Amino acid sequence: MAPRDDYHYNETVLAHIADPHNIGVIEDADAEGSGTNPVCGDEVTLYLKFEDETVTDARIRILGCGAITAAMSSLTDMVRGKTADELSEITAEEIAQSIGGLPTHKRHCATLARRVLQNALKSRNLKNSP
Amino acid sequence: MKTIYMDHNATTPMRPEVVSAMQPYLGEKFGNPNSIHRYGRETRIAIENARDNAAALIGAAEGDEIFFTSGGTESDNWALRGVISAARGRGHIVTTAIEHEAVLATCQTLEAEGVEVTYVKPNRQGRVSAEDVATAIRPDTKIVSVMWGNNEVGTVQPVHEIGAICREHGILFHTDAVQALGKVEVDVERAGVSLLSATGHKINGPKGTGFLYVKKGTELDPFITGGGQEQKLRSGTENVAGIVAMGEACRLAKTEGPQSAKNIAAMRDRLENEICEHVPDVLVNGDTAHRLPGTSNLGFIGAEGETLLIRLDLEGIAVSTGAACSSGSPEPSHVLLAMDLPQETVQGSLRFSLGYGNSDADIDRLLEVLPEAVGKVREMAPRLKSTKT
Ligand SMILES: Cc1ncc(COP(=O)(O)O)c(C=O)c1O
């Protein structure tokens, strides 16, 4: 193949943007985290439901570009069945890889996705602490 | 899937007449126009004919005021660097905050080399005022560079007034007319222009072709040196096939431009009116009284431009966004930011640019798809934003 296209989205990313997974809100969420990118105005909220210490449901709300949409959409699939400890280990790189990678100028979106996940985990700890 | 192209400010399809015009020069007519023999004479005649067509399109007095380049970017670079170099690398430039990167990045490089630059800000409609340009002029100003029409919002700048001001001050006036050419009347004599940048691929010609108009008597150093082609000012064996094709595109733009501009403006107005009617919370970015005929830049509040773009793309409709990150830079459009638009307008902006080949049926199709796409993207938004109107 010609030199790698570091500009366009791959087919996996495009499919997520066309039909993002798990859009919505969990009213009685056990964890909820938000994040924004002040430069472009992207805003994301992630809701998580835990049962027996593992994630059983994950939902998102998004106002953001294609990359953050795809990253969050994929993240909602990745988190299912995982424990909080396992979630805390998920890296931005893993999120980007789960959608086949992102163009260099969009990598910050995977970082934002990870930060939103971390914020959600923090909120769960707060809820759990007496 | 039938695809619809509404991104003519990015580039345009070549017209069939243009493709046929260049065909012989990709094949049997391969001579170097600088050769003395018949092969050379044949291609020389062809590029001089193209030069005359380019000159006629912009109202240049002489064909030999047209210098072929590789496109708009080179023309912009050459105009600015060539003037500053002829002024021994010193002085001051007046330009605007909404120029194409070809001008802005060149100015920034020149700043690093000690040249001073004033970037005049536009109003909220993306138009600079001639008075502000006049105020920015200093005794050491060597050149004023203001684009004719903006690529993102389509705002047409007051070039005639600015030209008059420059003439009064005896300062060179460069205009990047890449987007305006073939769409509005461009007459370098009437506008008082000393240097004008143009590109072939925005007027249904080929990519990698363009020209710089240099008014007789303008002090300009060469930017590309070598064998001394183009009156010793722009070296390199001419891109004959490309030049011939651009010449044909110029000829067509001259003869058909005024009528097609009217048709395209009517389609654009319909597109804009119907979108505003069928989609809530849409703002028009730009100056509707001074605008290129095919351009409509709309802000969809509470939505995000790039996701909208991709949803339309998956339906076969190609548009563009000037908003965040999509142009390979993590910053939102410098044009929309310079217009001081609120972030949610910038974030939700889409550019529709119509041109050769578009029809009312294309707009019908867009109107079938767009309202639902906007609705879906808005529904996904976090509650705070989605409840905002
Ligand atoms: C206003 C303006 N100037 C310059 C350019 C650059 O022209 P080119 O692509 O021919 O280098 C463009 C388009 O890309 C443009 O819209």
Side-chain angles (χ1 to χ4, degrees):
Chain A
M1 219 177 81
R4 196 171 107 73
D5 181 353
D6 189 39
Y7 183 78
H8 293 100
Y9 293 140
N10 65 44
E11 295 294 329
T12 311
V13 173
L14 291 175
H16 276 285
I17 300 168
D19 191 10
H21 305 178
N22 304 306
I23 297 292
V25 173
I26 302 174
E27 296 295 348
D28 58 343
D30 300 307
E32 179 183 332
S34 291
T36 61
N37 180 343
V39 178
C40 46
D42 287 357
E43 278 181 45
V44 189
T45 306
L46 170 70
Y47 305 88
L48 297 174
K49 189 83 198 147
F50 285 81
E51 262 168 48
D52 297 334
E53 290 306 308
T54 67
V55 173
T56 53
D57 196 10
R59 302 276 154 176
I60 44 170
R61 287 278 200 179
I62 286 188
L63 174 61
C65 69
I68 187 63
T69 304
M72 290 306 301
S73 168
S74 174
L75 184 64
T76 59
D77 295 335
M78 286 169 79
V79 296
R80 271 160 215 267
K82 292 205 167 70
T83 65
D85 280 349
E86 287 166 336
L87 295 185
S88 68
E89 313 236 299
I90 292 178
T91 63
E93 185 56 26
E94 282 170 321
I95 298 171
Q97 282 316 314
S98 75
I99 46 176
L102 284 170
T104 307
H105 69 280
K106 291 287 192 177
R107 298 259 169 85
H108 66 272
C109 293
T111 309
L112 174 59
R114 176 174 181 273
R115 196 163 71 235
V116 170
L117 175 61
Q118 299 285 340
N119 288 346
L121 294 174
K122 267 184 228 152
S123 84
R124 179 168 185 258
N125 290 341
L126 290 180
K127 277 189 190 170
N128 286 353
S129 58
Chain B
M1 178 175 23
K2 179 178 165 5
T3 54
I4 294 173
Y5 188 74
M6 292 192 175
D7 199 11
H8 290 259
N9 286 14
T11 193
T12 59
M14 279 208 272
R15 288 179 55 150
E17 300 92 321
V18 169
V19 176
S20 330
M22 86 190 290
Q23 216 101 53
Y25 300 89
L26 297 168
E28 75 268 26
K29 299 188 180 183
F30 62 86
N32 185 327
N34 310 295
S35 297
I36 295 167
H37 46 63
R38 66 185 64 239
Y39 293 88
R41 288 198 299 274
E42 175 180 65
T43 48
R44 171 58 61 187
I45 289 169
I47 69 170
E48 294 312 319
N49 182 35
R51 204 184 303 277
D52 288 342
N53 283 330
L57 178 60
I58 62 165
E62 308 279 348
D64 62 4
E65 293 175 314
I66 302 294
F67 295 81
F68 295 120
T69 67
S70 64
T73 301
E74 183 191 326
S75 297
D76 286 342
N77 269 264
W78 182 15
L80 295 167
R81 289 170 195 271
V83 165
I84 292 299
S85 163
R88 297 208 180 74
R90 298 225 149 66
H92 174 242
I93 297 174
V94 175
T95 187
T96 79
I98 54 164
E99 296 299 310
H100 188 268
E101 288 80 354
V103 166
L104 290 180
T106 303
C107 283
Q108 282 152 14
T109 308
L110 288 169
E111 277 185 289
E113 293 167 11
V115 172
E116 290 185 52
V117 183
T118 302
Y119 301 90
V120 175
K121 271 197 69 157
N123 64 15
R124 283 178 159 257
Q125 282 73 44
R127 200 160 197 255
V128 297
S129 86
E131 295 80 63
D132 288 352
V133 171
T135 310
I137 292 174
R138 314 193 313 208
D140 62 340
T141 303
K142 302 292 180 221
I143 184 168
V144 170
S145 179
V146 178
M147 70 196 329
W148 200 301
N150 180 267
N151 43 306
E152 288 191 32
V153 291
T155 304
V156 174
Q157 305 302 324
V159 281
H160 296 86
E161 289 168 59
I162 294 169
I165 289 165
C166 291
R167 209 176 257 172
E168 232 170 73
H169 287 77
I171 295 172
L172 297 176
F173 176 33
H174 166 248
T175 185
D176 175 338
V178 161
Q179 293 289 346
L181 214 59
K183 298 173 190 157
V184 295
E185 199 203 333
V186 171
D187 185 313
V188 285
E189 295 291 335
R190 267 193 29 198
V193 167
S194 358
L195 297 140
L196 176 143
S197 300
T199 193
H201 75 102
K202 314 274 187 185
I203 57 167
N204 308 104
K207 292 162 194 51
T209 66
F211 65 84
L212 181 66
Y213 158 82
V214 185
K215 191 177 173 61
K216 276 265 154 66
T218 303
E219 280 189 43
L220 181 78
D221 279 356
F223 174 48
I224 295 181
T225 50
Q229 290 87 350
E230 299 288 294
Q231 304 175 61
K232 300 200 166 41
L233 280 173
R234 201 288 190 175
S235 290
T237 301
E238 294 84 347
N239 169 8
V240 175
I243 289 170
V244 168
M246 180 176 62
E248 176 65 2
C250 287
R251 191 186 67 76
L252 290 164
K254 172 88 183 156
T255 52
E256 298 178 17
Q259 185 54 45
S260 82
K262 265 188 211 145
N263 299 341
I264 288 165
M267 269 193 278
R268 187 273 318 273
D269 290 344
R270 183 183 155 225
L271 172 148
E272 200 163 86
N273 292 339
E274 298 211 13
I275 290 176
C276 290
E277 201 173 295
H278 292 101
V279 183
D281 302 326
V282 181
L283 298 174
V284 178
N285 302 324
D287 186 334
T288 52
H290 305 97
R291 196 160 52 150
L292 297 173
T295 308
S296 173
N297 189 308
L298 301 176
F300 296 88
I301 310 294
E304 196 277 336
E306 194 190 67
T307 37
L308 277 176
L309 180 156
I310 288 166
R311 277 173 184 266
L312 291 178
D313 181 37
L314 293 165
E315 297 286 346
I317 303 174
V319 302
S320 163
T321 163
C325 320
S326 43
S327 46
S329 110
E331 303 290 328
S333 148
H334 68 275
V335 175
L336 300 180
L337 289 181
M339 288 160 64
D340 279 338
L341 297 181
Q343 189 180 46
E344 50 182 359
T345 312
V346 176
Q347 189 180 22
S349 75
L350 276 190
R351 181 187 70 188
F352 304 86
S353 51
L354 305 180
Y356 177 81
N358 282 128
S359 67
D360 271 320
D362 296 345
I363 295 168
D364 294 341
R365 175 75 187 130
L366 174 72
L367 292 165
E368 274 171 30
V369 174
L370 182 70
E372 189 184 321
V374 175
K376 284 221 171 109
V377 172
R378 280 180 175 158
E379 269 170 30
M380 286 168 27
R383 278 168 168 179
L384 253 181
K385 276 267 164 94
S386 61
T387 53
K388 213 184 268 182
T389 52

